[in-house]
Structure formats: C-alpha cells, structure tokens
Amino acid sequence: MSEATSRPLRIAVIGTNYLGANTAAGMAEFGFDVIGVEIDEHRLKLLNDGKAPLYEPGLDPLLKKHVDSGRLRFTKDYREIGDWADVYFICVGTPQLEGSEAADLAQVHSVVTMLAPLLTKPTLVVGRSTVPVGTSKIVEARFHAEAPAGAGVEIAWQPEFLREAHGVDDTLHPDRLVFGVQSAAAETRLREVFATPIGEGTPVVVCNLPTAELVKGGANAFLATKISFINALAEMADATGADVTLLADALGYDKRIGRGMLNAGPGYGGGCLPKDLRAFMHRAGELGVEEVITFLREVDDINQHRRAGIVDLTHEMLRGEWVGKNVTVLGAAFKAGTDDVRDSPALDVAGRIQLHGANVTVYDPEAMENARRVRPTLRYAPTAVEACRDAHAVLHLTEWPEFRELDPAALRGLVTHPVVIDARLNLNAEAWRAAGWTYRAPGKP
C-alpha cells in the first residue's frame, strides 16, 4: 500500500450510477481528488457536465461544484486511473441474474479484468457493491493472479447503506461505517478516507471480509422483514377493524422494535432491497442454511401478496368489473424522492390492473420517462389532475408530497366515480371523505 503523502488522497470510483455518483461526489466533498470511471457514453457526458445520471435530491449541485473546481472528473479509460489512485472503490451494479435469484457479478469481474493489469504497485481496492458473502476472496485471488503488483493489491470491503432520495446526506453523514479489512494499514487508510464523518462522531465497525459482506444483505433482509411484518398486521387490522397506523405507532415506542420501516403500504421495491434479499436467500442455499431460505421466502411472498391485495381491493371498489373502467395510478417510482422504477410496487399494480382489462393512467412527478420504458402500454398524463380525469378509481401508490396536497373537492368534479384507495396511508382521510369520496386504505377502518 502506498505511503501517505502531503498531497490530497487520490480516489478512483469505478461505476458511477447511483452508488458511484454519490461516492465520487462525496469523496470530492471530503477534499480528495477523484476520478470516476464510467463506460456508458451518455452517463459520462452528463457527469462531466456536473449532472447526475438519475434523479437524486442534492446530487446535481454537489457534482457541479466539484466538476467545476477541477477536483472531480470522469473518464471511460481505465488507463487514466492505473497507478494514479491511492484507493480504488468498486461501485458497479450487482443486479439479479436473469433466470435466477443469484446476484449477477459480471460487472464486478469486469472491473477486475480491466483494472488488474494496470496495478503495478501495492494499493488498496475497496468493494462497495453489494455482493454475496465470499465474493471478496474471489476478487482478491484474481487481483493477486492478474495484477503486476500481485499480493501487493489488498482487498477491503466497505458496504454502503444509502437510501434513495437521501443518498447525498447518507454519503456525507453516514449513520455507521463498516470496514471489512485484513490489515491495520487498510483500516488506517479507510479511516483517512472517512476522516470527516468519523470526526463528526459516526461509529466505525472494523471486521473481517465475510462480516462486511453479510452486513448489507443482512440489513436489507431485516428491513424487508419489518415491512412485510407490518403489512401482515395490516391484513389483521382489516379483518378486525383495527388501525394499522396507530398499531405501528404503539409498537414503535418499544426501543427494541423502533418505528422506522413500520409503515404499511404496497410493499418494498426498488433496485436494491428485493434483489439483495433474493441474492441473500440464494447464497444461503449454496451454504446449506435452509432455515434462512424458508424464513426469507415467506417475507418475499408476503410482499408480493400485498400487491395482489391492492389489485383485489380495486376490483372490489369497481364492483367486480374491469373492462371499460378507468383507473388512475398516482405514482410510478418505488418510493418518493427518486425516479427509480425497478421492481416498483406502483407500476406492478398498474400493470396487473391493465392485464385485467381496465384502462390505466399513470402520473409521477419524476419517474415518467423511466416508467414509459418499463411499461410502454400504460397511459401517462402530464399532471396528477389530468390523470384523474374520468377515473372510476384513483390509487395512491407513491407517497409524493404533491399527492397529499391535491384538493379532493376539486378532483371530485373530474372523476366518474369518487373512489380513492390510499395504499400509502398518507392522504387526509377526513378531507377526502368530507369531499364526497369513498376512501379506502389497507389496515385502516
């Protein structure tokens, strides 16, 4: 590993979509010189113009600030980072493998193929991508075999815990840092990289590589469990007349449980949690830990059942008829604050309803372009108000603030039947009912 110098550390970030763009901008904000590697020409141009390749609040200004200062730049040429960097962060995607629940590690292995031949001196390569436990040692073996520096290339794993719509703040002010390292030198270098948040009091957990790899998958599996748990209780509430929101509030006061992620709704989605949960189950199967598979399979099944339940409720509110009915879906992103539609509950529900024969119109303030690519046969409206025109039922499926601010009295005159299904439990039920709407929400009396 290279000795510390008087100059700022040089950081290379490989892969600059959601994780990598936040990491690169964050490292520049911490005071380091940063080069991001991005092979996609469209993303590369955006990034060098100081623009994020996706919607993430606060990321564009941070990128622009440091691209303009000269501290941050992006390239598609691995030769530019060669032996230039003091630390290399791997931030490429690990999507679900097509036809399997396993993680697709092709992009991780591509990084090794491209970077290893360029490393001629000892250095630190840090994985941030979410990978199955055991991946780091495979990556290490390849670097040792393929890099001129051989065993001088040290591997560490430093999992990320970024929440979409909060990625910038979570990068600059993380709630914890996990350093999976194999030497005191690697720990020291990572403490140097993250000196700013550590100085603010961010706790650090130092562990071995397998522990660091398991942390992210374990965290997502637990969060998925909480979401599925409260949604299972929402069904109990429906059957008994209980209020799932007040139930969650009461549970949340227990410090052993906590209120976070106990919001009932259409279930979890996005580009990380669902595929990470399934990859976690797949790896458990490879390791022979069957109990983990059985438990997490039920968590995933409950999540899918939640989406089906919203479709069933819509059918009930349409009096058992689909054909010729107009259904409005407010929201396409998997949650507010992002344009990410990967495994979006909102789009999944919209697609299922369309397959039953209804006319479905979607509106989302940020995710329309991505939604059209994924679900081109749905109708799309330019505004929430236009989306509601002539609707027989309005479904609230993504919790954007502008949906809560809609005037139910004004909308009442636009729809064919004033029926709203608040799957996010986020609208003002009293206001909608007072305006003459039939208001339904899972788990609410």
Side-chain angles (χ1 to χ4, degrees), residues 161-207:
F161 305 100
L162 308 188
R163 301 164 297 159
E164 292 193 44
H166 303 277
V168 171
D169 189 60
D170 288 346
T171 298
L172 301 179
H173 311 287
D175 57 10
R176 79 280 206 192
L177 291 163
V178 176
F179 297 160
V181 295
Q182 302 180 87
S183 71
E187 178 187 345
T188 297
R189 178 49 54 89
L190 283 173
R191 287 185 179 275
E192 186 178 2
V193 170
F194 291 97
T196 299
I198 291 173
E200 295 174 349
T202 298
V204 178
V205 176
V206 180
C207 56

mmCIF file of all heavy atoms in Angstrom, residues 161-207:
data_model
loop_
_atom_site.group_PDB
_atom_site.id
_atom_site.type_symbol
_atom_site.label_atom_id
_atom_site.label_comp_id
_atom_site.label_asym_id
_atom_site.label_seq_id
_atom_site.Cartn_x
_atom_site.Cartn_y
_atom_site.Cartn_z
ATOM 1 N N PHE A 161 -24.822 2.049 2.773
ATOM 2 C CA PHE A 161 -26.179 1.961 3.311
ATOM 3 C C PHE A 161 -26.998 3.164 2.852
ATOM 4 O O PHE A 161 -27.741 3.763 3.632
ATOM 5 C CB PHE A 161 -26.134 1.878 4.841
ATOM 6 C CG PHE A 161 -25.281 0.758 5.356
ATOM 7 C CD1 PHE A 161 -23.992 0.992 5.796
ATOM 8 C CD2 PHE A 161 -25.767 -0.545 5.380
ATOM 9 C CE1 PHE A 161 -23.196 -0.057 6.263
ATOM 10 C CE2 PHE A 161 -24.981 -1.598 5.849
ATOM 11 C CZ PHE A 161 -23.695 -1.352 6.280
ATOM 12 N N LEU A 162 -26.840 3.525 1.586
ATOM 13 C CA LEU A 162 -27.522 4.709 1.061
ATOM 14 C C LEU A 162 -28.996 4.429 0.821
ATOM 15 O O LEU A 162 -29.355 3.412 0.247
ATOM 16 C CB LEU A 162 -26.880 5.157 -0.246
ATOM 17 C CG LEU A 162 -25.366 5.373 -0.255
ATOM 18 C CD1 LEU A 162 -24.954 6.014 -1.579
ATOM 19 C CD2 LEU A 162 -24.912 6.223 0.915
ATOM 20 N N ARG A 163 -29.818 5.365 1.249
ATOM 21 C CA ARG A 163 -31.249 5.306 0.977
ATOM 22 C C ARG A 163 -31.537 6.222 -0.206
ATOM 23 O O ARG A 163 -31.157 7.392 -0.180
ATOM 24 C CB ARG A 163 -32.051 5.775 2.190
ATOM 25 C CG ARG A 163 -31.831 4.979 3.469
ATOM 26 C CD ARG A 163 -32.349 5.767 4.670
ATOM 27 N NE ARG A 163 -31.616 7.013 4.836
ATOM 28 C CZ ARG A 163 -32.074 8.065 5.516
ATOM 29 N NH1 ARG A 163 -33.277 8.022 6.068
ATOM 30 N NH2 ARG A 163 -31.334 9.158 5.628
ATOM 31 N N GLU A 164 -32.202 5.671 -1.231
ATOM 32 C CA GLU A 164 -32.556 6.530 -2.350
ATOM 33 C C GLU A 164 -33.429 7.682 -1.859
ATOM 34 O O GLU A 164 -34.277 7.513 -0.999
ATOM 35 C CB GLU A 164 -33.270 5.727 -3.440
ATOM 36 C CG GLU A 164 -32.339 4.731 -4.132
ATOM 37 C CD GLU A 164 -32.928 4.169 -5.403
ATOM 38 O OE1 GLU A 164 -33.494 4.940 -6.208
ATOM 39 O OE2 GLU A 164 -32.823 2.947 -5.591
ATOM 40 N N ALA A 165 -33.171 8.851 -2.413
ATOM 41 C CA ALA A 165 -33.761 10.128 -2.010
ATOM 42 C C ALA A 165 -33.034 10.743 -0.829
ATOM 43 O O ALA A 165 -33.313 11.874 -0.451
ATOM 44 C CB ALA A 165 -35.255 10.032 -1.705
ATOM 45 N N HIS A 166 -32.086 10.007 -0.228
ATOM 46 C CA HIS A 166 -31.279 10.544 0.873
ATOM 47 C C HIS A 166 -29.802 10.217 0.658
ATOM 48 O O HIS A 166 -29.008 10.243 1.585
ATOM 49 C CB HIS A 166 -31.735 9.956 2.213
ATOM 50 C CG HIS A 166 -33.172 10.189 2.530
ATOM 51 N ND1 HIS A 166 -33.640 11.363 3.090
ATOM 52 C CD2 HIS A 166 -34.263 9.403 2.353
ATOM 53 C CE1 HIS A 166 -34.957 11.284 3.251
ATOM 54 N NE2 HIS A 166 -35.354 10.105 2.804
ATOM 55 N N GLY A 167 -29.434 9.907 -0.608
ATOM 56 C CA GLY A 167 -28.098 9.408 -0.888
ATOM 57 C C GLY A 167 -26.986 10.376 -0.558
ATOM 58 O O GLY A 167 -25.931 9.971 -0.051
ATOM 59 N N VAL A 168 -27.177 11.654 -0.834
ATOM 60 C CA VAL A 168 -26.133 12.635 -0.569
ATOM 61 C C VAL A 168 -25.874 12.745 0.928
ATOM 62 O O VAL A 168 -24.721 12.681 1.395
ATOM 63 C CB VAL A 168 -26.500 14.002 -1.162
ATOM 64 C CG1 VAL A 168 -25.519 15.074 -0.690
ATOM 65 C CG2 VAL A 168 -26.528 13.934 -2.680
ATOM 66 N N ASP A 169 -26.926 12.908 1.701
ATOM 67 C CA ASP A 169 -26.767 13.033 3.146
ATOM 68 C C ASP A 169 -26.193 11.749 3.749
ATOM 69 O O ASP A 169 -25.337 11.803 4.645
ATOM 70 C CB ASP A 169 -28.115 13.353 3.802
ATOM 71 C CG ASP A 169 -27.973 13.716 5.274
ATOM 72 O OD1 ASP A 169 -27.263 14.701 5.568
ATOM 73 O OD2 ASP A 169 -28.545 13.020 6.117
ATOM 74 N N ASP A 170 -26.629 10.598 3.254
ATOM 75 C CA ASP A 170 -26.112 9.337 3.781
ATOM 76 C C ASP A 170 -24.650 9.128 3.407
ATOM 77 O O ASP A 170 -23.920 8.418 4.113
ATOM 78 C CB ASP A 170 -26.949 8.169 3.261
ATOM 79 C CG ASP A 170 -28.330 8.103 3.884
ATOM 80 O OD1 ASP A 170 -28.556 8.785 4.898
ATOM 81 O OD2 ASP A 170 -29.198 7.378 3.353
ATOM 82 N N THR A 171 -24.203 9.709 2.296
ATOM 83 C CA THR A 171 -22.792 9.635 1.922
ATOM 84 C C THR A 171 -21.942 10.540 2.794
ATOM 85 O O THR A 171 -20.880 10.130 3.286
ATOM 86 C CB THR A 171 -22.609 10.026 0.440
ATOM 87 O OG1 THR A 171 -23.323 9.107 -0.381
ATOM 88 C CG2 THR A 171 -21.141 10.002 0.052
ATOM 89 N N LEU A 172 -22.412 11.752 2.993
ATOM 90 C CA LEU A 172 -21.627 12.733 3.755
ATOM 91 C C LEU A 172 -21.742 12.540 5.256
ATOM 92 O O LEU A 172 -20.790 12.846 5.996
ATOM 93 C CB LEU A 172 -22.075 14.149 3.379
ATOM 94 C CG LEU A 172 -21.940 14.533 1.907
ATOM 95 C CD1 LEU A 172 -22.433 15.954 1.682
ATOM 96 C CD2 LEU A 172 -20.496 14.384 1.438
ATOM 97 N N HIS A 173 -22.882 12.031 5.702
ATOM 98 C CA HIS A 173 -23.117 11.864 7.146
ATOM 99 C C HIS A 173 -23.696 10.474 7.418
ATOM 100 O O HIS A 173 -24.851 10.344 7.850
ATOM 101 C CB HIS A 173 -24.070 12.941 7.650
ATOM 102 C CG HIS A 173 -23.702 14.335 7.232
ATOM 103 N ND1 HIS A 173 -22.636 15.014 7.786
ATOM 104 C CD2 HIS A 173 -24.227 15.158 6.278
ATOM 105 C CE1 HIS A 173 -22.532 16.205 7.205
ATOM 106 N NE2 HIS A 173 -23.488 16.308 6.293
ATOM 107 N N PRO A 174 -22.934 9.412 7.170
ATOM 108 C CA PRO A 174 -23.470 8.054 7.351
ATOM 109 C C PRO A 174 -23.783 7.758 8.809
ATOM 110 O O PRO A 174 -23.164 8.322 9.720
ATOM 111 C CB PRO A 174 -22.325 7.166 6.850
ATOM 112 C CG PRO A 174 -21.093 8.005 7.010
ATOM 113 C CD PRO A 174 -21.521 9.413 6.757
ATOM 114 N N ASP A 175 -24.778 6.874 9.030
ATOM 115 C CA ASP A 175 -25.114 6.531 10.414
ATOM 116 C C ASP A 175 -24.154 5.514 10.995
ATOM 117 O O ASP A 175 -24.084 5.347 12.210
ATOM 118 C CB ASP A 175 -26.566 6.050 10.539
ATOM 119 C CG ASP A 175 -26.872 4.859 9.659
ATOM 120 O OD1 ASP A 175 -25.942 4.258 9.080
ATOM 121 O OD2 ASP A 175 -28.068 4.518 9.531
ATOM 122 N N ARG A 176 -23.373 4.810 10.137
ATOM 123 C CA ARG A 176 -22.300 3.942 10.587
ATOM 124 C C ARG A 176 -21.393 3.638 9.417
ATOM 125 O O ARG A 176 -21.796 3.753 8.263
ATOM 126 C CB ARG A 176 -22.809 2.644 11.218
ATOM 127 C CG ARG A 176 -23.253 1.539 10.274
ATOM 128 C CD ARG A 176 -24.621 1.766 9.759
ATOM 129 N NE ARG A 176 -25.316 0.533 9.383
ATOM 130 C CZ ARG A 176 -26.443 0.507 8.701
ATOM 131 N NH1 ARG A 176 -27.002 1.638 8.292
ATOM 132 N NH2 ARG A 176 -27.030 -0.629 8.428
ATOM 133 N N LEU A 177 -20.160 3.276 9.738
ATOM 134 C CA LEU A 177 -19.194 2.856 8.733
ATOM 135 C C LEU A 177 -18.717 1.458 9.084
ATOM 136 O O LEU A 177 -18.385 1.186 10.250
ATOM 137 C CB LEU A 177 -17.999 3.812 8.695
ATOM 138 C CG LEU A 177 -18.287 5.220 8.152
ATOM 139 C CD1 LEU A 177 -17.172 6.179 8.534
ATOM 140 C CD2 LEU A 177 -18.465 5.198 6.636
ATOM 141 N N VAL A 178 -18.699 0.575 8.108
ATOM 142 C CA VAL A 178 -18.231 -0.787 8.315
ATOM 143 C C VAL A 178 -16.997 -0.997 7.456
ATOM 144 O O VAL A 178 -17.052 -0.829 6.230
ATOM 145 C CB VAL A 178 -19.323 -1.814 7.943
ATOM 146 C CG1 VAL A 178 -18.784 -3.240 8.081
ATOM 147 C CG2 VAL A 178 -20.552 -1.628 8.840
ATOM 148 N N PHE A 179 -15.878 -1.345 8.098
ATOM 149 C CA PHE A 179 -14.629 -1.582 7.395
ATOM 150 C C PHE A 179 -14.286 -3.063 7.480
ATOM 151 O O PHE A 179 -13.880 -3.564 8.538
ATOM 152 C CB PHE A 179 -13.481 -0.779 8.008
ATOM 153 C CG PHE A 179 -13.632 0.719 7.948
ATOM 154 C CD1 PHE A 179 -12.906 1.535 8.806
ATOM 155 C CD2 PHE A 179 -14.485 1.331 7.034
ATOM 156 C CE1 PHE A 179 -13.021 2.918 8.751
ATOM 157 C CE2 PHE A 179 -14.622 2.711 6.979
ATOM 158 C CZ PHE A 179 -13.877 3.509 7.837
ATOM 159 N N GLY A 180 -14.460 -3.767 6.380
ATOM 160 C CA GLY A 180 -14.008 -5.150 6.319
ATOM 161 C C GLY A 180 -12.576 -5.159 5.810
ATOM 162 O O GLY A 180 -12.340 -4.908 4.623
ATOM 163 N N VAL A 181 -11.631 -5.407 6.682
ATOM 164 C CA VAL A 181 -10.213 -5.261 6.342
ATOM 165 C C VAL A 181 -9.418 -6.483 6.779
ATOM 166 O O VAL A 181 -9.871 -7.292 7.601
ATOM 167 C CB VAL A 181 -9.607 -3.994 6.991
ATOM 168 C CG1 VAL A 181 -10.248 -2.740 6.411
ATOM 169 C CG2 VAL A 181 -9.784 -4.016 8.502
ATOM 170 N N GLN A 182 -8.191 -6.569 6.229
ATOM 171 C CA GLN A 182 -7.313 -7.688 6.553
ATOM 172 C C GLN A 182 -5.997 -7.234 7.170
ATOM 173 O O GLN A 182 -5.134 -8.061 7.473
ATOM 174 C CB GLN A 182 -7.027 -8.501 5.284
ATOM 175 C CG GLN A 182 -8.286 -9.030 4.609
ATOM 176 C CD GLN A 182 -7.976 -9.818 3.356
ATOM 177 O OE1 GLN A 182 -7.721 -11.016 3.424
ATOM 178 N NE2 GLN A 182 -7.982 -9.160 2.210
ATOM 179 N N SER A 183 -5.838 -5.918 7.353
ATOM 180 C CA SER A 183 -4.595 -5.413 7.935
ATOM 181 C C SER A 183 -4.856 -4.084 8.629
ATOM 182 O O SER A 183 -5.834 -3.383 8.325
ATOM 183 C CB SER A 183 -3.534 -5.210 6.852
ATOM 184 O OG SER A 183 -3.866 -4.106 6.028
ATOM 185 N N ALA A 184 -3.954 -3.736 9.535
ATOM 186 C CA ALA A 184 -4.037 -2.446 10.210
ATOM 187 C C ALA A 184 -3.829 -1.311 9.210
ATOM 188 O O ALA A 184 -4.422 -0.232 9.341
ATOM 189 C CB ALA A 184 -2.998 -2.365 11.326
ATOM 190 N N ALA A 185 -3.004 -1.542 8.183
ATOM 191 C CA ALA A 185 -2.750 -0.499 7.188
ATOM 192 C C ALA A 185 -4.014 -0.165 6.408
ATOM 193 O O ALA A 185 -4.290 1.005 6.121
ATOM 194 C CB ALA A 185 -1.638 -0.949 6.243
ATOM 195 N N ALA A 186 -4.790 -1.183 6.072
ATOM 196 C CA ALA A 186 -6.038 -0.945 5.344
ATOM 197 C C ALA A 186 -7.018 -0.170 6.214
ATOM 198 O O ALA A 186 -7.703 0.749 5.732
ATOM 199 C CB ALA A 186 -6.643 -2.269 4.903
ATOM 200 N N GLU A 187 -7.115 -0.528 7.486
ATOM 201 C CA GLU A 187 -8.005 0.208 8.393
ATOM 202 C C GLU A 187 -7.574 1.669 8.499
ATOM 203 O O GLU A 187 -8.414 2.589 8.457
ATOM 204 C CB GLU A 187 -8.007 -0.437 9.782
ATOM 205 C CG GLU A 187 -8.887 0.318 10.766
ATOM 206 C CD GLU A 187 -8.775 -0.194 12.196
ATOM 207 O OE1 GLU A 187 -8.248 -1.306 12.404
ATOM 208 O OE2 GLU A 187 -9.219 0.536 13.119
ATOM 209 N N THR A 188 -6.259 1.891 8.622
ATOM 210 C CA THR A 188 -5.756 3.253 8.740
ATOM 211 C C THR A 188 -6.095 4.077 7.502
ATOM 212 O O THR A 188 -6.529 5.229 7.591
ATOM 213 C CB THR A 188 -4.228 3.238 8.941
ATOM 214 O OG1 THR A 188 -3.927 2.566 10.170
ATOM 215 C CG2 THR A 188 -3.666 4.645 8.997
ATOM 216 N N ARG A 189 -5.934 3.463 6.323
ATOM 217 C CA ARG A 189 -6.229 4.184 5.087
ATOM 218 C C ARG A 189 -7.718 4.512 4.994
ATOM 219 O O ARG A 189 -8.101 5.622 4.607
ATOM 220 C CB ARG A 189 -5.762 3.374 3.885
ATOM 221 C CG ARG A 189 -6.046 3.969 2.508
ATOM 222 C CD ARG A 189 -5.633 5.447 2.347
ATOM 223 N NE ARG A 189 -4.271 5.745 2.688
ATOM 224 C CZ ARG A 189 -3.232 5.691 1.848
ATOM 225 N NH1 ARG A 189 -3.405 5.293 0.608
ATOM 226 N NH2 ARG A 189 -2.027 6.046 2.258
ATOM 227 N N LEU A 190 -8.588 3.589 5.360
ATOM 228 C CA LEU A 190 -10.028 3.862 5.313
ATOM 229 C C LEU A 190 -10.421 4.923 6.338
ATOM 230 O O LEU A 190 -11.305 5.744 6.080
ATOM 231 C CB LEU A 190 -10.821 2.578 5.523
ATOM 232 C CG LEU A 190 -10.881 1.650 4.303
ATOM 233 C CD1 LEU A 190 -11.546 0.330 4.670
ATOM 234 C CD2 LEU A 190 -11.626 2.309 3.150
ATOM 235 N N ARG A 191 -9.762 4.919 7.491
ATOM 236 C CA ARG A 191 -10.044 5.973 8.470
ATOM 237 C C ARG A 191 -9.603 7.338 7.938
ATOM 238 O O ARG A 191 -10.224 8.363 8.242
ATOM 239 C CB ARG A 191 -9.358 5.661 9.800
ATOM 240 C CG ARG A 191 -10.024 4.537 10.577
ATOM 241 C CD ARG A 191 -9.393 4.329 11.951
ATOM 242 N NE ARG A 191 -10.066 3.271 12.688
ATOM 243 C CZ ARG A 191 -11.159 3.435 13.429
ATOM 244 N NH1 ARG A 191 -11.702 4.651 13.524
ATOM 245 N NH2 ARG A 191 -11.701 2.436 14.070
ATOM 246 N N GLU A 192 -8.553 7.354 7.123
ATOM 247 C CA GLU A 192 -8.117 8.596 6.494
ATOM 248 C C GLU A 192 -9.143 9.059 5.465
ATOM 249 O O GLU A 192 -9.494 10.247 5.399
ATOM 250 C CB GLU A 192 -6.760 8.365 5.829
ATOM 251 C CG GLU A 192 -6.134 9.615 5.253
ATOM 252 C CD GLU A 192 -4.767 9.355 4.640
ATOM 253 O OE1 GLU A 192 -4.316 8.191 4.636
ATOM 254 O OE2 GLU A 192 -4.163 10.321 4.142
ATOM 255 N N VAL A 193 -9.658 8.129 4.663
ATOM 256 C CA VAL A 193 -10.650 8.460 3.646
ATOM 257 C C VAL A 193 -11.921 9.021 4.286
ATOM 258 O O VAL A 193 -12.511 9.996 3.795
ATOM 259 C CB VAL A 193 -10.973 7.228 2.792
ATOM 260 C CG1 VAL A 193 -12.175 7.498 1.886
ATOM 261 C CG2 VAL A 193 -9.771 6.815 1.955
ATOM 262 N N PHE A 194 -12.347 8.395 5.379
ATOM 263 C CA PHE A 194 -13.611 8.786 6.013
ATOM 264 C C PHE A 194 -13.379 9.619 7.276
ATOM 265 O O PHE A 194 -14.207 9.615 8.190
ATOM 266 C CB PHE A 194 -14.434 7.539 6.343
ATOM 267 C CG PHE A 194 -14.963 6.828 5.128
ATOM 268 C CD1 PHE A 194 -14.293 5.733 4.604
ATOM 269 C CD2 PHE A 194 -16.103 7.273 4.481
ATOM 270 C CE1 PHE A 194 -14.765 5.073 3.481
ATOM 271 C CE2 PHE A 194 -16.582 6.637 3.350
ATOM 272 C CZ PHE A 194 -15.909 5.533 2.840
ATOM 273 N N ALA A 195 -12.291 10.362 7.304
ATOM 274 C CA ALA A 195 -11.958 11.158 8.493
ATOM 275 C C ALA A 195 -13.042 12.178 8.818
ATOM 276 O O ALA A 195 -13.312 12.444 9.998
ATOM 277 C CB ALA A 195 -10.614 11.857 8.285
ATOM 278 N N THR A 196 -13.676 12.759 7.793
ATOM 279 C CA THR A 196 -14.689 13.793 8.058
ATOM 280 C C THR A 196 -15.887 13.236 8.816
ATOM 281 O O THR A 196 -16.230 13.768 9.889
ATOM 282 C CB THR A 196 -15.132 14.453 6.744
ATOM 283 O OG1 THR A 196 -13.998 15.083 6.135
ATOM 284 C CG2 THR A 196 -16.210 15.492 7.002
ATOM 285 N N PRO A 197 -16.572 12.196 8.327
ATOM 286 C CA PRO A 197 -17.691 11.675 9.123
ATOM 287 C C PRO A 197 -17.257 11.050 10.442
ATOM 288 O O PRO A 197 -17.995 11.142 11.431
ATOM 289 C CB PRO A 197 -18.345 10.645 8.195
ATOM 290 C CG PRO A 197 -17.321 10.317 7.164
ATOM 291 C CD PRO A 197 -16.497 11.543 7.001
ATOM 292 N N ILE A 198 -16.083 10.443 10.475
ATOM 293 C CA ILE A 198 -15.608 9.887 11.759
ATOM 294 C C ILE A 198 -15.423 11.019 12.758
ATOM 295 O O ILE A 198 -15.777 10.887 13.938
ATOM 296 C CB ILE A 198 -14.298 9.098 11.548
ATOM 297 C CG1 ILE A 198 -14.578 7.809 10.759
ATOM 298 C CG2 ILE A 198 -13.656 8.744 12.885
ATOM 299 C CD1 ILE A 198 -13.336 7.039 10.359
ATOM 300 N N GLY A 199 -14.893 12.150 12.284
ATOM 301 C CA GLY A 199 -14.714 13.308 13.160
ATOM 302 C C GLY A 199 -16.030 13.873 13.658
ATOM 303 O O GLY A 199 -16.081 14.512 14.722
ATOM 304 N N GLU A 200 -17.125 13.628 12.916
ATOM 305 C CA GLU A 200 -18.453 14.079 13.334
ATOM 306 C C GLU A 200 -19.094 13.108 14.315
ATOM 307 O O GLU A 200 -20.197 13.368 14.800
ATOM 308 C CB GLU A 200 -19.359 14.236 12.103
ATOM 309 C CG GLU A 200 -18.910 15.337 11.152
ATOM 310 C CD GLU A 200 -19.741 15.354 9.873
ATOM 311 O OE1 GLU A 200 -20.512 14.383 9.648
ATOM 312 O OE2 GLU A 200 -19.633 16.336 9.109
ATOM 313 N N GLY A 201 -18.449 11.983 14.549
ATOM 314 C CA GLY A 201 -18.979 11.025 15.517
ATOM 315 C C GLY A 201 -19.590 9.776 14.926
ATOM 316 O O GLY A 201 -20.192 8.974 15.658
ATOM 317 N N THR A 202 -19.467 9.578 13.609
ATOM 318 C CA THR A 202 -20.008 8.363 13.005
ATOM 319 C C THR A 202 -19.292 7.138 13.564
ATOM 320 O O THR A 202 -18.059 7.061 13.521
ATOM 321 C CB THR A 202 -19.832 8.387 11.470
ATOM 322 O OG1 THR A 202 -20.561 9.483 10.937
ATOM 323 C CG2 THR A 202 -20.336 7.091 10.847
ATOM 324 N N PRO A 203 -20.025 6.156 14.103
ATOM 325 C CA PRO A 203 -19.380 4.960 14.655
ATOM 326 C C PRO A 203 -18.772 4.095 13.549
ATOM 327 O O PRO A 203 -19.282 4.063 12.420
ATOM 328 C CB PRO A 203 -20.521 4.234 15.367
ATOM 329 C CG PRO A 203 -21.761 4.726 14.713
ATOM 330 C CD PRO A 203 -21.488 6.134 14.280
ATOM 331 N N VAL A 204 -17.695 3.409 13.878
ATOM 332 C CA VAL A 204 -16.991 2.546 12.935
ATOM 333 C C VAL A 204 -16.974 1.123 13.472
ATOM 334 O O VAL A 204 -16.632 0.891 14.638
ATOM 335 C CB VAL A 204 -15.543 3.029 12.712
ATOM 336 C CG1 VAL A 204 -14.805 2.080 11.764
ATOM 337 C CG2 VAL A 204 -15.521 4.448 12.171
ATOM 338 N N VAL A 205 -17.355 0.189 12.633
ATOM 339 C CA VAL A 205 -17.248 -1.230 12.965
ATOM 340 C C VAL A 205 -16.148 -1.815 12.085
ATOM 341 O O VAL A 205 -16.235 -1.765 10.854
ATOM 342 C CB VAL A 205 -18.574 -1.975 12.708
ATOM 343 C CG1 VAL A 205 -18.401 -3.472 12.980
ATOM 344 C CG2 VAL A 205 -19.689 -1.403 13.581
ATOM 345 N N VAL A 206 -15.097 -2.335 12.720
ATOM 346 C CA VAL A 206 -13.993 -2.955 11.995
ATOM 347 C C VAL A 206 -14.153 -4.465 12.105
ATOM 348 O O VAL A 206 -14.301 -5.004 13.207
ATOM 349 C CB VAL A 206 -12.634 -2.512 12.552
ATOM 350 C CG1 VAL A 206 -11.497 -3.170 11.774
ATOM 351 C CG2 VAL A 206 -12.508 -0.991 12.495
ATOM 352 N N CYS A 207 -14.143 -5.150 10.965
ATOM 353 C CA CYS A 207 -14.443 -6.571 10.964
ATOM 354 C C CYS A 207 -13.687 -7.260 9.828
ATOM 355 O O CYS A 207 -12.942 -6.616 9.083
ATOM 356 C CB CYS A 207 -15.949 -6.798 10.801
ATOM 357 S SG CYS A 207 -16.648 -6.028 9.311
#
